[in-house]
Amino acid sequence: MRDLQFARHRRLRTSQSMRALVRETHLQHTDLIYPIFVVEGNGVKNEVASMPGVYQISLDYLTEEMKEVRHLGIQSVIIFGVPQEKDAVGSQAYCDQGIVQQAIRQVKRDVPELTVIADTCLCQYTDHGHCGVVKEGEIVNDESLELLVQTAVSQAKAGADIIAPSNMMDGFVAAIRRGLDEAGYVHTPIMSYAVKYASSFYGPFRDAAHSSPQFGDRRAYQMDPANRLEAIREAQSDVEEGADFLIVKPALAYLDIMRDVKNRFPLPVVAYNVSGEYSMIKAAAQNGWVNEQEIVLEKLTAMKRAGCDLIITYFAKDVAKWLNEKQ
């Protein structure tokens, strides 16, 4: 064997400190964006049945929750609202006293160092559960844009640091960028749900946000999971229209798309580690089938390795605690 020449790759794996020294991909607190579901009323803290550890909370619990998030080292949150009243045009989405607008003002007042991202869509606020205006059974595009612009401007007015439109209407970034600029919010970035697939991984989120469509589905405006080049076209349009961040949603089943987007566009890429991905791991961990901490950290590291810069994840608080324990 003395004359046999071959590579000794294992030299760099001999100890924990050696492995840490040469580690290529790192998961950090600043990578994490924590989603929060805010509901109307008082004294409300409802655990979402299909998402163990995730709660719908009322405003009187919000400041305490945000202070905990910040104490853990997380710097960014994304707010989803669950209104009591819904109508055909989702008017609570763009109401100055809407639940998201109230939540944004409260967080910016009480925990101002947090970066607050506002999810900008209509589905939680419409009585039909679709992301736009419905006419004769069709989700119409251009009229929906007008309401989305109103929503984005009202959220920026409330103090949102970033607007994150998730509706997948054609031209939504251009319309919102123009609306924000005209309203004087030229410095408010847009975190576009640029690549959003019509995925089966969204089910638990719809329980949390009460946003299931009352008829049909969203395949006429969300992307076909079989398509890859379409993702590039969608992202290209959003870049040209003024997006500042590009979200790929879902994350785990679309790591190839994430890498494509990162390779093609010089903007921060955001992975949305969606509810179904969360709930599957929670269920498996509760049954003792997997080690939750190990599998979550491996999964999120894979997203970073695939090219994302930030991760929206319901595991954010758990991950922050695990990272703190390692320090």
Side-chain angles (χ1 to χ4, degrees):
M1 293 292 293
R2 287 185 176 179
D3 295 331
L4 184 61
Q5 298 296 316
F6 52 87
R8 297 283 183 178
H9 299 294
R10 292 177 56 189
R11 290 175 183 147
L12 302 185
R13 305 173 192 157
T14 53
S15 68
Q16 181 176 344
S17 61
M18 181 68 76
R19 292 189 293 273
L21 184 67
V22 298
R23 185 162 294 137
E24 301 173 26
T25 304
H26 297 272
L27 187 63
Q28 305 175 83
H29 294 80
T30 50
D31 300 330
L32 304 172
I33 300 172
Y34 182 56
I36 186 77
F37 297 96
V38 184
V39 300
E40 298 186 63
N42 291 294
V44 181
K45 189 173 183 179
N46 297 328
E47 188 172 30
V48 180
S50 56
M51 300 179 71
V54 173
Y55 294 84
Q56 299 170 329
I57 63 171
S58 50
L59 293 174
D60 49 325
Y61 285 113
L62 180 60
T63 296
E64 179 185 1
E65 177 77 4
M66 295 297 95
K67 286 182 177 179
E68 179 190 6
V69 165
R70 188 66 190 93
H71 178 73
L72 288 170
I74 298 167
Q75 297 184 12
S76 305
V77 296
I78 183 167
I79 298 179
F80 297 90
V82 185
Q84 288 182 338
E85 297 181 6
K86 302 188 179 192
D87 56 34
V89 293
S91 59
Q92 286 299 304
Y94 43 89
C95 173
D96 284 343
Q97 294 304 314
I99 185 61
V100 165
Q101 287 79 359
Q102 292 184 61
I104 293 168
R105 286 193 289 269
Q106 182 171 322
V107 175
K108 295 309 296 182
R109 180 193 69 210
D110 296 343
V111 195
E113 62 271 27
L114 279 176
T115 296
V116 176
I117 305 164
D119 178 76
T120 306
C121 199
L122 301 177
C123 59
Q124 299 104 296
Y125 306 91
T126 56
D127 52 17
H128 47 73
H130 281 285
C131 303
V133 177
V134 175
K135 288 190 174 180
E136 299 180 357
E138 178 187 356
I139 296 84
V140 296
N141 195 90
D142 295 6
E143 291 181 41
S144 300
L145 294 180
E146 297 176 11
L147 301 184
L148 292 165
V149 170
Q150 292 182 47
T151 302
V153 171
S154 72
Q155 292 168 339
K157 181 180 177 182
D161 298 294
I162 300 173
I163 298 299
S166 59
N167 52 87
M168 289 297 286
M169 295 295 110
D170 289 337
F172 69 100
V173 172
I176 289 172
R177 182 71 273 158
R178 179 176 180 179
L180 289 172
D181 290 353
E182 290 179 348
Y185 299 105
V186 295
H187 298 301
T188 301
I190 295 175
M191 181 181 286
S192 170
Y193 285 68
V195 180
K196 184 177 179 180
Y197 284 91
S199 173
S200 299
F201 285 97
Y202 300 151
F205 174 90
R206 292 169 184 169
D207 293 340
H210 298 170
S211 61
S212 297
Q214 298 303 300
F215 67 90
D217 54 39
R218 295 176 178 146
R219 296 180 184 275
Y221 45 100
Q222 294 179 359
M223 290 173 48
D224 186 340
N227 290 355
R228 185 174 189 174
L229 295 179
E230 184 181 9
I232 300 301
R233 296 198 298 271
E234 286 280 0
Q236 180 73 51
S237 294
D238 288 2
V239 171
E240 293 172 353
E241 292 172 16
D244 300 283
F245 303 79
L246 301 173
I247 297 176
V248 176
K249 180 181 180 182
L252 192 59
Y254 298 89
L255 296 179
D256 58 326
I257 305 301
M258 203 175 300
R259 173 48 61 186
D260 286 343
V261 171
K262 184 63 177 179
N263 287 346
R264 185 72 177 263
F265 304 106
L267 293 179
V269 175
V270 184
Y272 198 137
N273 176 210
V274 298
S275 59
E277 298 167 357
Y278 173 88
S279 297
M280 288 191 299
I281 289 178
K282 280 291 185 182
Q286 288 178 351
N287 279 284
W289 298 337
V290 298
N291 181 304
E292 181 176 347
Q293 178 175 338
E294 290 180 358
I295 202 168
V296 170
L297 293 177
E298 181 177 344
K299 178 182 70 169
L300 299 189
T301 300
M303 295 172 193
K304 289 289 299 291
R305 192 182 66 245
C308 78
D309 302 282
L310 301 167
I311 305 172
I312 302 171
T313 178
Y314 305 98
F315 285 112
K317 290 202 298 183
D318 291 330
V319 172
K321 291 174 184 176
W322 297 332
L323 293 177
N324 290 340
E325 290 169 0
K326 290 184 176 183
Q327 291 180 348

